[in-house]
Amino acid sequence: QKQKQKQQEEEEELEELEWNEVWDGSTTITLIGDHCQLGPVVVCTALKTQLGQSPFRRLSLFSTLTPVILRQQYRMRPEISRFPSEYFYGGRLINAGTTAVGSVEAKGALPPPIAFYDVHGAETRDGYSLANVAEAKQVVEIVKNLLGMGDVPTEFPIARGIDIGVITPYLYQRELIRDYLTAAGVPATVQVSTIFKMQGGEKDFI
């Protein structure tokens, strides 16, 4: 019980330090961000309960403040934005008349908005990180097909200048995919990154 109380006191002290950095005595403070995006990475297990949520998230849940949401989104096709809109934003997102897909349509290439691949492979571990060789190889084939480099002809070869990104939760998998893409001769312009590193970025294809 004493340990739990000590942990709670430490969390409150950290919280106070956090807000002291923001508040300078002004009567009005404007915080700009997204309370529904990824939370912070908290390594200390004892502090995850309190600090696992961003300040924006805590304010939206535990205060009388009501966030002002910019509802119109330009980045995603409606088929992709539907889920985050309903699951995270209460169905309040509005799709703009022109989304990021416009640059793809202009070059005559429009693959299905979402595709799922059933890949059977085993995970391997490197320290705390994971990788899956079968999935990495499948990613390479998908990227090659988008670029018109695959062995199997595709009806959706993408013209040069279109941005492609590959996202994975694990550093080990990121390095594996990068190595395979390089070995396959895929241009280095195809960005491979983790979820946290890619957050806030924008690509024509993910």
Side-chain angles (χ1 to χ4, degrees):
Q1 184 67 28
K2 288 183 178 179
Q3 180 66 20
K4 186 175 182 181
Q5 182 178 355
K6 185 174 183 298
Q7 290 175 0
Q8 184 174 357
E9 290 172 355
E10 289 174 349
E11 291 173 1
E12 291 173 353
E13 288 173 2
L14 285 171
E15 182 89 359
E16 184 177 349
L17 286 172
E18 184 180 76
W19 288 114
N20 283 340
E21 289 294 319
V22 175
W23 187 56
D24 60 359
S26 303
T27 56
T28 301
I29 298 176
T30 302
L31 301 177
I32 300 175
D34 187 345
H35 62 287
C36 292
Q37 284 194 354
L38 295 174
V41 177
V42 182
V43 178
C44 178
T45 305
L47 298 177
K48 278 187 177 181
T49 303
Q50 179 70 9
L51 300 181
Q53 294 177 324
S54 69
F56 294 103
R57 187 63 175 165
R58 293 199 295 276
L59 280 172
S60 67
L61 291 175
F62 306 117
S63 76
T64 57
L65 300 177
T66 302
V68 176
I69 298 176
L70 301 179
R71 299 176 60 195
Q72 199 164 49
Q73 71 86 18
Y74 297 83
R75 291 185 170 188
M76 297 174 284
R77 291 169 61 174
E79 299 92 336
I80 298 175
S81 69
R82 185 179 301 121
F83 171 75
S85 176
E86 293 178 358
Y87 189 83
F88 294 105
Y89 299 97
R92 288 175 289 177
L93 292 186
I94 298 173
N95 298 304
T98 303
T99 60
V101 75
S103 62
V104 181
E105 287 178 324
K107 299 192 178 186
L110 195 61
I114 306 173
F116 293 91
Y117 289 81
D118 184 19
V119 181
H120 298 275
E123 290 182 341
T124 56
R125 182 177 293 275
D126 180 20
Y128 292 102
S129 194
L130 298 171
N132 187 308
V133 172
E135 290 181 356
K137 289 181 177 179
Q138 180 66 66
V139 167
V140 173
E141 291 306 312
I142 293 171
V143 172
K144 286 170 62 179
N145 285 336
L146 284 173
L147 294 172
M149 299 171 57
D151 297 328
V152 179
T154 174
E155 61 179 305
F156 302 115
I158 305 305
R160 292 185 182 276
I162 294 296
D163 283 335
I164 298 175
V166 180
I167 304 176
T168 172
Y170 305 110
L171 291 171
Y172 188 17
Q173 183 78 340
R174 182 194 67 183
E175 297 309 311
L176 191 66
I177 293 172
R178 280 180 176 175
D179 290 344
Y180 284 174
L181 288 173
T182 300
V186 173
T189 51
V190 175
Q191 183 181 358
V192 185
S193 192
T194 61
I195 296 172
F196 281 97
K197 287 287 187 180
M198 188 75 78
Q199 185 178 200
E202 184 173 324
K203 299 291 180 183
D204 294 307
F205 290 92
I206 293 290

